Amino acid sequence: MTVAAAFGGMKRAVDVVFRVGCPDCRAHVELGANALRLAIGATSKTTFYSFTCPECGVAVRKPAGERIVELLTGGGVRTLRLHSAS
């Protein structure tokens, strides 16, 4: 039996919650992984995470360094890999 088969049906024991701040209304809120999106680009300028502030409704986009990318991916945030046009 493979590891994937053995653990395939398991759910997380605890939902991961991320604390984020809105630069618009200055609210600090906790969001689940499903409320965040991570885009990984070729450079640090094209790697970011985004969410909609539940307090004011503004779409927020913040840069994501290497550590943030690790935390978000490890916490189950959906990730989009951006490809540059050649």
Side-chain angles (χ1 to χ4, degrees):
M1 176 177 278
T2 67
V3 173
F7 295 102
M10 291 185 71
K11 302 273 186 205
R12 285 186 192 275
V14 177
D15 289 330
V16 177
V17 177
F18 298 94
R19 188 155 174 79
V20 296
C22 176
D24 229 48
C25 71
R26 302 276 187 218
H28 291 277
V29 296
E30 292 182 347
L31 298 175
N34 63 340
L36 295 154
R37 298 293 175 267
L38 174 63
I40 300 177
T43 68
S44 60
K45 288 186 179 187
T46 58
T47 300
F48 60 90
Y49 66 98
S50 62
F51 61 93
T52 300
C53 177
E55 296 293 319
C56 68
V58 73
V60 178
R61 178 175 159 165
K62 293 189 169 189
E66 195 173 305
R67 181 70 180 136
I68 298 294
V69 169
E70 287 178 23
L71 291 170
L72 294 176
T73 56
V77 172
R78 283 190 265 173
T79 303
L80 172 67
R81 295 206 179 267
L82 304 176
H83 299 281
S84 60
S86 303

